Amino acid sequence: MKTIIDTHNHCCEFSADSSQPLKERLEEAQRLGLRGLVMTDHFDKWEDPDIASSEFHVLDIYPEDGEWVFNISDYIERIRVEQENLAKAHSSLELYKGIELGYRPYLVPAFREVSTFYKDDLDLLIGSVHNLSPFGYPKLSKLYAKGKKEAYTLYLEALMKMVEDMPFINVLGHFDYISRYNTYDDKKLRYVDFADHLDRLFKLIIERDIALEINTATQLVKNPSGQPIGLTDEAILRRYKDLGGSLICLASDAHHEGRVGQMFDQNKAQLENLGFDKLCHFEKGQIAY
Ligand SMILES: [Zn+2]
Ligand SMILES: [Zn+2]
């Protein structure tokens, strides 16, 4: 794990669905021998597009009830303090500042403002789709009723729309998120079933130097049989590489104790077998290894 930076992490101070404090996450990462962590807390503001259209400035953002946002300046400062503490303790753990932007079309101007205003402070921006209803698709629970083919296809289409709307993101977050919360017998996303959509999505991110995130939280989700989904379909990774893709981030998407760095050794071995010789992260928006 010495060479791996976990590029997707949440802590309970800034993400409503996380239970682990930042300090404990850092201690756990050091115990495991990880090279580094990128904190990427949730930034998903405003369920209601009418409210979202009102004027605001990123500096003024404080969460209202139930909103999955935080004051970005406070967040940056909090991580900076921990970076200082790590340096004082002569820790080799690298700590970076990132954000997971939850895509909704009406939030794109706000997200663009975040990306430009904090370009010297934030290292890595993840673009993620957690919810399809803000842009005219059914809620995930209803979408699943349409069956795997249609649900997964619509999700991949939403990702493409996000990448086109938000070319300023650095990382495509959990491209296989749609496989997490359904009840299908076989949840795994496979290249053979969605070849055309995956090709188009990969071309879009490759053209924009957006990295592909391998999200191990999805891999641990179980099928009804009790078997976990497991490692990413090799055919997906091979195709990404054949299309010219080389930027890969390895990410636990840890929200709770015991999750950081999960499945990293197996994933690293799989990627190396397929000829990916390095993992990437970003520093102030620039690709780094
Ligand atoms: Zn996410
Ligand atoms: Zn996340």
Side-chain angles (χ1 to χ4, degrees):
M1 298 259 225
K2 279 192 173 52
T3 57
I4 306 179
I5 295 178
D6 185 337
T7 57
H8 190 150
N9 278 271
H10 299 271
C11 65
C12 66
E13 291 92 335
F14 296 98
S15 286
D17 58 344
S18 168
S19 65
Q20 191 177 30
L22 176 55
K23 260 201 174 322
E24 290 178 20
R25 175 67 49 76
L26 298 175
E27 285 161 13
E28 196 179 340
Q30 289 176 92
R31 274 200 305 278
L32 288 172
L34 275 166
R35 177 181 149 198
L37 285 187
V38 189
M39 294 310 299
T40 53
D41 281 291
H42 285 296
F43 202 80
D44 273 74
K45 194 165 174 66
W46 291 310
E47 281 290 341
D48 181 349
D50 294 334
I51 302 171
S53 64
S54 60
E55 293 272 311
F56 74 97
H57 187 276
V58 287
L59 276 179
D60 300 329
I61 290 176
Y62 279 95
E64 291 158 32
D65 276 354
E67 281 190 329
W68 288 30
V69 293
F70 45 82
N71 182 271
I72 300 174
S73 300
D74 290 353
Y75 176 70
I76 287 168
E77 175 57 17
R78 179 60 206 277
I79 299 175
R80 193 193 61 74
V81 167
E82 293 301 340
Q83 287 172 326
E84 244 175 50
N85 290 340
L86 288 168
K88 273 187 216 148
H90 304 290
S91 169
S92 63
L93 188 78
E94 298 171 30
L95 176 61
Y96 298 98
K97 310 178 190 93
I99 292 194
E100 182 176 16
L101 301 170
Y103 173 60
R104 298 158 196 267
Y106 52 83
L107 291 181
V108 171
F111 290 164
R112 190 176 295 111
E113 196 179 351
V114 169
S115 78
T116 53
F117 194 85
Y118 292 105
K119 69 177 172 5
D120 295 328
D121 296 302
L122 290 171
D123 292 301
L124 182 154
L125 300 176
I126 299 176
S128 291
V129 172
H130 297 116
N131 191 345
L132 295 178
S133 51
F135 36 112
Y137 295 128
K139 275 186 186 300
L140 283 185
S141 51
K142 290 222 170 77
L143 188 68
Y144 292 142
K146 292 176 178 289
K148 183 174 177 181
K149 185 80 189 176
E150 187 168 349
Y152 285 31
T153 298
L154 285 176
Y155 187 78
L156 293 170
E157 282 173 4
L159 289 178
M160 286 188 242
K161 191 166 162 16
M162 174 181 75
V163 171
E164 284 177 325
D165 276 4
M166 308 209 304
F168 49 81
I169 59 170
N170 307 119
V171 177
L172 173 68
H174 44 55
F175 71 97
D176 50 0
Y177 180 88
I178 189 70
S179 45
R180 277 197 203 171
Y181 302 112
N182 61 60
T183 54
Y184 306 141
D185 288 340
D186 175 19
K187 300 179 186 211
K188 198 178 184 89
L189 174 67
R190 289 189 176 74
Y191 181 72
V192 66
D193 300 324
F194 302 95
D196 175 57
H197 279 74
L198 286 165
D199 280 6
R200 280 162 47 208
L201 175 63
F202 289 163
K203 283 177 192 161
L204 288 176
I205 61 171
I206 292 164
E207 281 165 8
R208 290 162 179 75
D209 286 333
I210 294 170
L212 181 69
E213 175 190 278
I214 305 302
N215 188 297
T216 63
T218 306
Q219 298 174 356
L220 288 164
V221 169
K222 288 180 174 145
N223 284 314
S225 66
Q227 272 295 105
I229 290 176
L231 293 173
T232 309
D233 177 26
E234 268 193 26
I236 289 181
L237 296 170
R238 274 187 218 283
R239 184 61 180 155
Y240 172 67
K241 190 163 189 289
D242 287 349
L243 289 169
S246 61
L247 299 176
I248 294 208
C249 293
L250 194 48
S252 69
D253 202 355
H255 287 66
H256 312 290
E257 189 186 343
R259 298 303 184 96
V260 67
Q262 59 191 351
M263 302 266 296
F264 274 19
D265 289 337
Q266 301 94 307
N267 275 276
K268 190 164 179 272
Q270 183 196 35
L271 290 165
E272 282 169 358
N273 278 338
L274 294 169
F276 292 99
D277 56 354
K278 54 192 176 204
L279 296 166
C280 76
H281 63 288
F282 288 77
E283 297 179 19
K284 295 186 179 172
Q286 302 300 309
I287 298 161
Y289 297 101

